Amino acid sequence: MTTTPDHRSAADTADEQWLTPKDICTHLQIPEQTFYQWRVKHVGPRAYRIGRHLWISRSECNSWLSLRMED
Protein backbone atom coordinates (compact mmCIF):
# COMPACT_ATOMS: atom_id res chain seq x y z
CA MET A 1 0.00 0.00 0.00
CA THR A 2 1.38 3.39 -0.93
CA THR A 3 0.61 6.60 0.86
CA THR A 4 1.30 10.17 -0.07
CA PRO A 5 2.59 12.12 2.92
CA ASP A 6 1.81 15.49 1.30
CA HIS A 7 -1.94 14.90 1.39
CA ARG A 8 -4.05 15.10 4.51
CA SER A 9 -6.58 12.47 5.39
CA ALA A 10 -10.26 13.27 5.03
CA ALA A 11 -10.58 13.41 8.83
CA ASP A 12 -7.76 15.97 9.13
CA THR A 13 -9.32 18.14 6.43
CA ALA A 14 -12.76 17.96 8.05
CA ASP A 15 -11.31 19.08 11.40
CA GLU A 16 -9.37 21.97 9.82
CA GLN A 17 -10.47 25.45 10.82
CA TRP A 18 -11.01 27.82 7.91
CA LEU A 19 -10.66 31.59 8.08
CA THR A 20 -11.89 34.38 5.85
CA PRO A 21 -9.63 37.14 4.55
CA LYS A 22 -11.35 39.45 7.04
CA ASP A 23 -10.42 37.08 9.90
CA ILE A 24 -6.77 37.11 8.79
CA CYS A 25 -6.72 40.90 8.45
CA THR A 26 -8.27 41.40 11.87
CA HIS A 27 -5.71 39.05 13.43
CA LEU A 28 -2.76 40.71 11.68
CA GLN A 29 -4.21 44.22 12.11
CA ILE A 30 -3.81 45.04 8.42
CA PRO A 31 -6.26 46.48 5.87
CA GLU A 32 -8.09 43.95 3.70
CA GLN A 33 -6.58 45.66 0.66
CA THR A 34 -3.14 44.51 1.84
CA PHE A 35 -4.29 40.89 1.93
CA TYR A 36 -5.63 41.13 -1.62
CA GLN A 37 -2.41 42.81 -2.82
CA TRP A 38 -0.42 39.93 -1.28
CA ARG A 39 -2.74 37.51 -3.06
CA VAL A 40 -2.10 39.13 -6.45
CA LYS A 41 1.67 39.07 -5.79
CA HIS A 42 1.55 35.46 -4.48
CA VAL A 43 3.23 36.42 -1.21
CA GLY A 44 0.38 35.97 1.29
CA PRO A 45 -1.04 32.81 2.81
CA ARG A 46 -2.60 30.44 0.31
CA ALA A 47 -6.33 31.05 -0.14
CA TYR A 48 -8.84 28.67 -1.67
CA ARG A 49 -11.86 29.81 -3.63
CA ILE A 50 -14.88 27.76 -2.67
CA GLY A 51 -17.85 29.00 -4.62
CA ARG A 52 -17.53 32.76 -4.54
CA HIS A 53 -15.76 32.93 -1.19
CA LEU A 54 -12.08 32.79 -0.23
CA TRP A 55 -11.00 30.59 2.65
CA ILE A 56 -7.61 30.21 4.30
CA SER A 57 -6.61 27.17 6.33
CA ARG A 58 -5.61 28.20 9.87
CA SER A 59 -2.74 25.69 9.90
CA GLU A 60 -1.39 26.95 6.54
CA CYS A 61 -1.73 30.55 7.73
CA ASN A 62 0.18 29.73 10.92
CA SER A 63 2.92 28.03 8.86
CA TRP A 64 3.10 31.04 6.55
CA LEU A 65 3.38 33.37 9.55
CA SER A 66 6.09 31.29 11.25
CA LEU A 67 8.22 31.40 8.09
CA ARG A 68 8.04 35.19 8.09
CA MET A 69 8.66 35.87 11.76
CA GLU A 70 11.91 37.56 12.58
CA ASP A 71 14.17 36.07 15.23
PDB file of all heavy atoms in Angstrom, residues 23-49:
ATOM      1  N   ASP A  23     -10.960  37.663   8.662  1.00  0.00           N
ATOM      2  CA  ASP A  23     -10.417  37.081   9.900  1.00  0.00           C
ATOM      3  C   ASP A  23      -8.902  37.272   9.968  1.00  0.00           C
ATOM      4  O   ASP A  23      -8.356  37.661  11.005  1.00  0.00           O
ATOM      5  CB  ASP A  23     -10.728  35.584   9.995  1.00  0.00           C
ATOM      6  CG  ASP A  23     -12.198  35.265  10.114  1.00  0.00           C
ATOM      7  OD1 ASP A  23     -12.975  36.104  10.609  1.00  0.00           O
ATOM      8  OD2 ASP A  23     -12.574  34.150   9.692  1.00  0.00           O
ATOM      9  N   ILE A  24      -8.240  36.977   8.856  1.00  0.00           N
ATOM     10  CA  ILE A  24      -6.773  37.112   8.791  1.00  0.00           C
ATOM     11  C   ILE A  24      -6.360  38.562   9.020  1.00  0.00           C
ATOM     12  O   ILE A  24      -5.448  38.850   9.794  1.00  0.00           O
ATOM     13  CB  ILE A  24      -6.240  36.628   7.415  1.00  0.00           C
ATOM     14  CG1 ILE A  24      -6.594  35.170   7.165  1.00  0.00           C
ATOM     15  CG2 ILE A  24      -4.742  36.886   7.273  1.00  0.00           C
ATOM     16  CD1 ILE A  24      -5.874  34.180   8.025  1.00  0.00           C
ATOM     17  N   CYS A  25      -7.055  39.479   8.344  1.00  0.00           N
ATOM     18  CA  CYS A  25      -6.716  40.898   8.448  1.00  0.00           C
ATOM     19  C   CYS A  25      -6.948  41.436   9.852  1.00  0.00           C
ATOM     20  O   CYS A  25      -6.159  42.237  10.350  1.00  0.00           O
ATOM     21  CB  CYS A  25      -7.504  41.704   7.423  1.00  0.00           C
ATOM     22  SG  CYS A  25      -7.031  41.298   5.738  1.00  0.00           S
ATOM     23  N   THR A  26      -8.003  40.983  10.495  1.00  0.00           N
ATOM     24  CA  THR A  26      -8.270  41.397  11.872  1.00  0.00           C
ATOM     25  C   THR A  26      -7.163  40.891  12.788  1.00  0.00           C
ATOM     26  O   THR A  26      -6.647  41.639  13.625  1.00  0.00           O
ATOM     27  CB  THR A  26      -9.637  40.864  12.338  1.00  0.00           C
ATOM     28  OG1 THR A  26     -10.650  41.391  11.480  1.00  0.00           O
ATOM     29  CG2 THR A  26      -9.925  41.245  13.768  1.00  0.00           C
ATOM     30  N   HIS A  27      -6.771  39.642  12.603  1.00  0.00           N
ATOM     31  CA  HIS A  27      -5.715  39.047  13.432  1.00  0.00           C
ATOM     32  C   HIS A  27      -4.378  39.760  13.229  1.00  0.00           C
ATOM     33  O   HIS A  27      -3.660  40.027  14.200  1.00  0.00           O
ATOM     34  CB  HIS A  27      -5.579  37.562  13.112  1.00  0.00           C
ATOM     35  CG  HIS A  27      -4.493  36.878  13.860  1.00  0.00           C
ATOM     36  ND1 HIS A  27      -4.568  36.630  15.214  1.00  0.00           N
ATOM     37  CD2 HIS A  27      -3.292  36.402  13.459  1.00  0.00           C
ATOM     38  CE1 HIS A  27      -3.449  36.040  15.603  1.00  0.00           C
ATOM     39  NE2 HIS A  27      -2.669  35.879  14.558  1.00  0.00           N
ATOM     40  N   LEU A  28      -4.043  40.073  11.982  1.00  0.00           N
ATOM     41  CA  LEU A  28      -2.761  40.709  11.680  1.00  0.00           C
ATOM     42  C   LEU A  28      -2.806  42.234  11.802  1.00  0.00           C
ATOM     43  O   LEU A  28      -1.775  42.888  11.676  1.00  0.00           O
ATOM     44  CB  LEU A  28      -2.307  40.329  10.264  1.00  0.00           C
ATOM     45  CG  LEU A  28      -2.027  38.855  10.024  1.00  0.00           C
ATOM     46  CD1 LEU A  28      -1.659  38.623   8.563  1.00  0.00           C
ATOM     47  CD2 LEU A  28      -0.920  38.364  10.949  1.00  0.00           C
ATOM     48  N   GLN A  29      -3.995  42.772  12.015  1.00  0.00           N
ATOM     49  CA  GLN A  29      -4.208  44.218  12.111  1.00  0.00           C
ATOM     50  C   GLN A  29      -3.700  44.933  10.853  1.00  0.00           C
ATOM     51  O   GLN A  29      -2.916  45.880  10.917  1.00  0.00           O
ATOM     52  CB  GLN A  29      -3.557  44.781  13.366  1.00  0.00           C
ATOM     53  CG  GLN A  29      -4.147  44.199  14.630  1.00  0.00           C
ATOM     54  CD  GLN A  29      -3.498  44.740  15.889  1.00  0.00           C
ATOM     55  OE1 GLN A  29      -2.493  45.447  15.853  1.00  0.00           O
ATOM     56  NE2 GLN A  29      -4.071  44.393  17.022  1.00  0.00           N
ATOM     57  N   ILE A  30      -4.161  44.440   9.704  1.00  0.00           N
ATOM     58  CA  ILE A  30      -3.811  45.036   8.420  1.00  0.00           C
ATOM     59  C   ILE A  30      -5.105  45.308   7.641  1.00  0.00           C
ATOM     60  O   ILE A  30      -6.127  44.669   7.891  1.00  0.00           O
ATOM     61  CB  ILE A  30      -2.895  44.122   7.572  1.00  0.00           C
ATOM     62  CG1 ILE A  30      -3.594  42.782   7.289  1.00  0.00           C
ATOM     63  CG2 ILE A  30      -1.544  43.923   8.244  1.00  0.00           C
ATOM     64  CD1 ILE A  30      -2.894  41.905   6.281  1.00  0.00           C
ATOM     65  N   PRO A  31      -5.073  46.252   6.699  1.00  0.00           N
ATOM     66  CA  PRO A  31      -6.259  46.479   5.872  1.00  0.00           C
ATOM     67  C   PRO A  31      -6.507  45.295   4.940  1.00  0.00           C
ATOM     68  O   PRO A  31      -5.562  44.612   4.522  1.00  0.00           O
ATOM     69  CB  PRO A  31      -5.904  47.720   5.055  1.00  0.00           C
ATOM     70  CG  PRO A  31      -4.643  48.256   5.612  1.00  0.00           C
ATOM     71  CD  PRO A  31      -4.004  47.185   6.434  1.00  0.00           C
ATOM     72  N   GLU A  32      -7.767  45.050   4.614  1.00  0.00           N
ATOM     73  CA  GLU A  32      -8.090  43.949   3.703  1.00  0.00           C
ATOM     74  C   GLU A  32      -7.413  44.146   2.352  1.00  0.00           C
ATOM     75  O   GLU A  32      -7.036  43.180   1.699  1.00  0.00           O
ATOM     76  CB  GLU A  32      -9.600  43.811   3.532  1.00  0.00           C
ATOM     77  CG  GLU A  32     -10.258  43.142   4.723  1.00  0.00           C
ATOM     78  CD  GLU A  32     -11.717  42.841   4.492  1.00  0.00           C
ATOM     79  OE1 GLU A  32     -12.035  42.104   3.548  1.00  0.00           O
ATOM     80  OE2 GLU A  32     -12.541  43.362   5.274  1.00  0.00           O
ATOM     81  N   GLN A  33      -7.239  45.382   1.937  1.00  0.00           N
ATOM     82  CA  GLN A  33      -6.585  45.662   0.664  1.00  0.00           C
ATOM     83  C   GLN A  33      -5.172  45.076   0.639  1.00  0.00           C
ATOM     84  O   GLN A  33      -4.723  44.575  -0.396  1.00  0.00           O
ATOM     85  CB  GLN A  33      -6.527  47.170   0.424  1.00  0.00           C
ATOM     86  CG  GLN A  33      -5.910  47.543  -0.906  1.00  0.00           C
ATOM     87  CD  GLN A  33      -5.891  49.047  -1.117  1.00  0.00           C
ATOM     88  OE1 GLN A  33      -6.286  49.812  -0.260  1.00  0.00           O
ATOM     89  NE2 GLN A  33      -5.418  49.460  -2.278  1.00  0.00           N
ATOM     90  N   THR A  34      -4.486  45.092   1.762  1.00  0.00           N
ATOM     91  CA  THR A  34      -3.141  44.512   1.844  1.00  0.00           C
ATOM     92  C   THR A  34      -3.187  43.021   1.570  1.00  0.00           C
ATOM     93  O   THR A  34      -2.359  42.488   0.817  1.00  0.00           O
ATOM     94  CB  THR A  34      -2.517  44.789   3.223  1.00  0.00           C
ATOM     95  OG1 THR A  34      -2.430  46.197   3.417  1.00  0.00           O
ATOM     96  CG2 THR A  34      -1.144  44.151   3.351  1.00  0.00           C
ATOM     97  N   PHE A  35      -4.154  42.319   2.167  1.00  0.00           N
ATOM     98  CA  PHE A  35      -4.291  40.889   1.929  1.00  0.00           C
ATOM     99  C   PHE A  35      -4.481  40.613   0.439  1.00  0.00           C
ATOM    100  O   PHE A  35      -3.846  39.719  -0.116  1.00  0.00           O
ATOM    101  CB  PHE A  35      -5.474  40.320   2.730  1.00  0.00           C
ATOM    102  CG  PHE A  35      -5.745  38.876   2.412  1.00  0.00           C
ATOM    103  CD1 PHE A  35      -5.062  37.877   3.072  1.00  0.00           C
ATOM    104  CD2 PHE A  35      -6.674  38.519   1.441  1.00  0.00           C
ATOM    105  CE1 PHE A  35      -5.291  36.544   2.769  1.00  0.00           C
ATOM    106  CE2 PHE A  35      -6.916  37.194   1.139  1.00  0.00           C
ATOM    107  CZ  PHE A  35      -6.225  36.199   1.802  1.00  0.00           C
ATOM    108  N   TYR A  36      -5.349  41.367  -0.197  1.00  0.00           N
ATOM    109  CA  TYR A  36      -5.634  41.131  -1.616  1.00  0.00           C
ATOM    110  C   TYR A  36      -4.434  41.502  -2.497  1.00  0.00           C
ATOM    111  O   TYR A  36      -4.196  40.869  -3.526  1.00  0.00           O
ATOM    112  CB  TYR A  36      -6.907  41.854  -2.039  1.00  0.00           C
ATOM    113  CG  TYR A  36      -8.127  41.192  -1.439  1.00  0.00           C
ATOM    114  CD1 TYR A  36      -8.808  41.766  -0.375  1.00  0.00           C
ATOM    115  CD2 TYR A  36      -8.563  39.954  -1.900  1.00  0.00           C
ATOM    116  CE1 TYR A  36      -9.905  41.142   0.195  1.00  0.00           C
ATOM    117  CE2 TYR A  36      -9.656  39.309  -1.331  1.00  0.00           C
ATOM    118  CZ  TYR A  36     -10.319  39.915  -0.287  1.00  0.00           C
ATOM    119  OH  TYR A  36     -11.407  39.273   0.274  1.00  0.00           O
ATOM    120  N   GLN A  37      -3.641  42.497  -2.089  1.00  0.00           N
ATOM    121  CA  GLN A  37      -2.406  42.807  -2.816  1.00  0.00           C
ATOM    122  C   GLN A  37      -1.411  41.666  -2.676  1.00  0.00           C
ATOM    123  O   GLN A  37      -0.736  41.294  -3.639  1.00  0.00           O
ATOM    124  CB  GLN A  37      -1.795  44.116  -2.300  1.00  0.00           C
ATOM    125  CG  GLN A  37      -2.573  45.334  -2.712  1.00  0.00           C
ATOM    126  CD  GLN A  37      -2.052  46.602  -2.057  1.00  0.00           C
ATOM    127  OE1 GLN A  37      -1.214  46.570  -1.147  1.00  0.00           O
ATOM    128  NE2 GLN A  37      -2.573  47.734  -2.500  1.00  0.00           N
ATOM    129  N   TRP A  38      -1.298  41.093  -1.484  1.00  0.00           N
ATOM    130  CA  TRP A  38      -0.424  39.934  -1.284  1.00  0.00           C
ATOM    131  C   TRP A  38      -0.869  38.783  -2.165  1.00  0.00           C
ATOM    132  O   TRP A  38      -0.060  38.076  -2.735  1.00  0.00           O
ATOM    133  CB  TRP A  38      -0.464  39.475   0.169  1.00  0.00           C
ATOM    134  CG  TRP A  38       0.234  40.347   1.157  1.00  0.00           C
ATOM    135  CD1 TRP A  38       1.088  41.377   0.906  1.00  0.00           C
ATOM    136  CD2 TRP A  38       0.130  40.261   2.578  1.00  0.00           C
ATOM    137  NE1 TRP A  38       1.515  41.933   2.080  1.00  0.00           N
ATOM    138  CE2 TRP A  38       0.954  41.266   3.114  1.00  0.00           C
ATOM    139  CE3 TRP A  38      -0.576  39.424   3.430  1.00  0.00           C
ATOM    140  CZ2 TRP A  38       1.092  41.452   4.486  1.00  0.00           C
ATOM    141  CZ3 TRP A  38      -0.449  39.610   4.798  1.00  0.00           C
ATOM    142  CH2 TRP A  38       0.389  40.622   5.318  1.00  0.00           C
ATOM    143  N   ARG A  39      -2.194  38.604  -2.249  1.00  0.00           N
ATOM    144  CA  ARG A  39      -2.743  37.509  -3.059  1.00  0.00           C
ATOM    145  C   ARG A  39      -2.362  37.664  -4.521  1.00  0.00           C
ATOM    146  O   ARG A  39      -1.921  36.712  -5.163  1.00  0.00           O
ATOM    147  CB  ARG A  39      -4.258  37.464  -2.887  1.00  0.00           C
ATOM    148  CG  ARG A  39      -4.921  36.338  -3.621  1.00  0.00           C
ATOM    149  CD  ARG A  39      -6.355  36.155  -3.137  1.00  0.00           C
ATOM    150  NE  ARG A  39      -7.169  35.425  -4.078  1.00  0.00           N
ATOM    151  CZ  ARG A  39      -7.101  34.129  -4.289  1.00  0.00           C
ATOM    152  NH1 ARG A  39      -6.230  33.410  -3.620  1.00  0.00           N
ATOM    153  NH2 ARG A  39      -7.895  33.537  -5.160  1.00  0.00           N
ATOM    154  N   VAL A  40      -2.464  38.863  -5.059  1.00  0.00           N
ATOM    155  CA  VAL A  40      -2.100  39.131  -6.450  1.00  0.00           C
ATOM    156  C   VAL A  40      -0.607  38.871  -6.672  1.00  0.00           C
ATOM    157  O   VAL A  40      -0.211  38.312  -7.693  1.00  0.00           O
ATOM    158  CB  VAL A  40      -2.469  40.586  -6.838  1.00  0.00           C
ATOM    159  CG1 VAL A  40      -1.853  40.983  -8.166  1.00  0.00           C
ATOM    160  CG2 VAL A  40      -3.978  40.761  -6.873  1.00  0.00           C
ATOM    161  N   LYS A  41       0.214  39.231  -5.686  1.00  0.00           N
ATOM    162  CA  LYS A  41       1.670  39.073  -5.793  1.00  0.00           C
ATOM    163  C   LYS A  41       2.144  37.672  -5.383  1.00  0.00           C
ATOM    164  O   LYS A  41       3.341  37.387  -5.439  1.00  0.00           O
ATOM    165  CB  LYS A  41       2.370  40.110  -4.921  1.00  0.00           C
ATOM    166  CG  LYS A  41       2.131  41.534  -5.383  1.00  0.00           C
ATOM    167  CD  LYS A  41       2.753  42.517  -4.419  1.00  0.00           C
ATOM    168  CE  LYS A  41       2.448  43.941  -4.834  1.00  0.00           C
ATOM    169  NZ  LYS A  41       2.979  44.909  -3.856  1.00  0.00           N
ATOM    170  N   HIS A  42       1.228  36.822  -4.930  1.00  0.00           N
ATOM    171  CA  HIS A  42       1.546  35.458  -4.477  1.00  0.00           C
ATOM    172  C   HIS A  42       2.530  35.457  -3.313  1.00  0.00           C
ATOM    173  O   HIS A  42       3.434  34.633  -3.248  1.00  0.00           O
ATOM    174  CB  HIS A  42       2.092  34.605  -5.628  1.00  0.00           C
ATOM    175  CG  HIS A  42       1.169  34.516  -6.792  1.00  0.00           C
ATOM    176  ND1 HIS A  42       0.047  33.723  -6.792  1.00  0.00           N
ATOM    177  CD2 HIS A  42       1.164  35.150  -7.984  1.00  0.00           C
ATOM    178  CE1 HIS A  42      -0.591  33.852  -7.941  1.00  0.00           C
ATOM    179  NE2 HIS A  42       0.059  34.722  -8.682  1.00  0.00           N
ATOM    180  N   VAL A  43       2.353  36.383  -2.374  1.00  0.00           N
ATOM    181  CA  VAL A  43       3.232  36.422  -1.206  1.00  0.00           C
ATOM    182  C   VAL A  43       2.486  36.179   0.099  1.00  0.00           C
ATOM    183  O   VAL A  43       3.113  35.982   1.132  1.00  0.00           O
ATOM    184  CB  VAL A  43       4.011  37.766  -1.104  1.00  0.00           C
ATOM    185  CG1 VAL A  43       4.942  37.944  -2.274  1.00  0.00           C
ATOM    186  CG2 VAL A  43       3.060  38.939  -0.978  1.00  0.00           C
ATOM    187  N   GLY A  44       1.181  36.167   0.081  1.00  0.00           N
ATOM    188  CA  GLY A  44       0.384  35.966   1.290  1.00  0.00           C
ATOM    189  C   GLY A  44       0.100  34.493   1.523  1.00  0.00           C
ATOM    190  O   GLY A  44       0.546  33.623   0.767  1.00  0.00           O
ATOM    191  N   PRO A  45      -0.661  34.201   2.565  1.00  0.00           N
ATOM    192  CA  PRO A  45      -1.038  32.808   2.812  1.00  0.00           C
ATOM    193  C   PRO A  45      -1.929  32.300   1.685  1.00  0.00           C
ATOM    194  O   PRO A  45      -2.680  33.064   1.079  1.00  0.00           O
ATOM    195  CB  PRO A  45      -1.806  32.866   4.141  1.00  0.00           C
ATOM    196  CG  PRO A  45      -2.273  34.275   4.263  1.00  0.00           C
ATOM    197  CD  PRO A  45      -1.266  35.109   3.539  1.00  0.00           C
ATOM    198  N   ARG A  46      -1.829  31.027   1.397  1.00  0.00           N
ATOM    199  CA  ARG A  46      -2.604  30.440   0.313  1.00  0.00           C
ATOM    200  C   ARG A  46      -4.096  30.488   0.638  1.00  0.00           C
ATOM    201  O   ARG A  46      -4.507  30.139   1.742  1.00  0.00           O
ATOM    202  CB  ARG A  46      -2.175  29.000   0.090  1.00  0.00           C
ATOM    203  CG  ARG A  46      -2.838  28.389  -1.094  1.00  0.00           C
ATOM    204  CD  ARG A  46      -2.258  27.050  -1.411  1.00  0.00           C
ATOM    205  NE  ARG A  46      -2.933  26.522  -2.585  1.00  0.00           N
ATOM    206  CZ  ARG A  46      -2.764  25.322  -3.054  1.00  0.00           C
ATOM    207  NH1 ARG A  46      -1.912  24.515  -2.453  1.00  0.00           N
ATOM    208  NH2 ARG A  46      -3.409  24.910  -4.098  1.00  0.00           N
ATOM    209  N   ALA A  47      -4.879  30.967  -0.313  1.00  0.00           N
ATOM    210  CA  ALA A  47      -6.329  31.051  -0.141  1.00  0.00           C
ATOM    211  C   ALA A  47      -6.992  30.164  -1.180  1.00  0.00           C
ATOM    212  O   ALA A  47      -6.496  30.012  -2.301  1.00  0.00           O
ATOM    213  CB  ALA A  47      -6.798  32.495  -0.298  1.00  0.00           C
ATOM    214  N   TYR A  48      -8.094  29.556  -0.785  1.00  0.00           N
ATOM    215  CA  TYR A  48      -8.839  28.667  -1.665  1.00  0.00           C
ATOM    216  C   TYR A  48     -10.194  29.288  -1.975  1.00  0.00           C
ATOM    217  O   TYR A  48     -10.888  29.742  -1.068  1.00  0.00           O
ATOM    218  CB  TYR A  48      -9.063  27.308  -0.983  1.00  0.00           C
ATOM    219  CG  TYR A  48      -7.782  26.607  -0.635  1.00  0.00           C
ATOM    220  CD1 TYR A  48      -7.170  26.817   0.596  1.00  0.00           C
ATOM    221  CD2 TYR A  48      -7.179  25.745  -1.536  1.00  0.00           C
ATOM    222  CE1 TYR A  48      -5.979  26.183   0.914  1.00  0.00           C
ATOM    223  CE2 TYR A  48      -5.993  25.095  -1.225  1.00  0.00           C
ATOM    224  CZ  TYR A  48      -5.407  25.325   0.014  1.00  0.00           C
ATOM    225  OH  TYR A  48      -4.238  24.689   0.321  1.00  0.00           O
ATOM    226  N   ARG A  49     -10.546  29.315  -3.245  1.00  0.00           N
ATOM    227  CA  ARG A  49     -11.859  29.811  -3.631  1.00  0.00           C
ATOM    228  C   ARG A  49     -12.826  28.639  -3.602  1.00  0.00           C
ATOM    229  O   ARG A  49     -12.647  27.653  -4.306  1.00  0.00           O
ATOM    230  CB  ARG A  49     -11.827  30.428  -5.025  1.00  0.00           C
ATOM    231  CG  ARG A  49     -13.181  31.011  -5.397  1.00  0.00           C
ATOM    232  CD  ARG A  49     -13.124  31.945  -6.562  1.00  0.00           C
ATOM    233  NE  ARG A  49     -12.287  33.109  -6.355  1.00  0.00           N
ATOM    234  CZ  ARG A  49     -12.626  34.192  -5.629  1.00  0.00           C
ATOM    235  NH1 ARG A  49     -13.790  34.227  -5.026  1.00  0.00           N
ATOM    236  NH2 ARG A  49     -11.825  35.214  -5.526  1.00  0.00           N
TER     237      ARG A  49
END
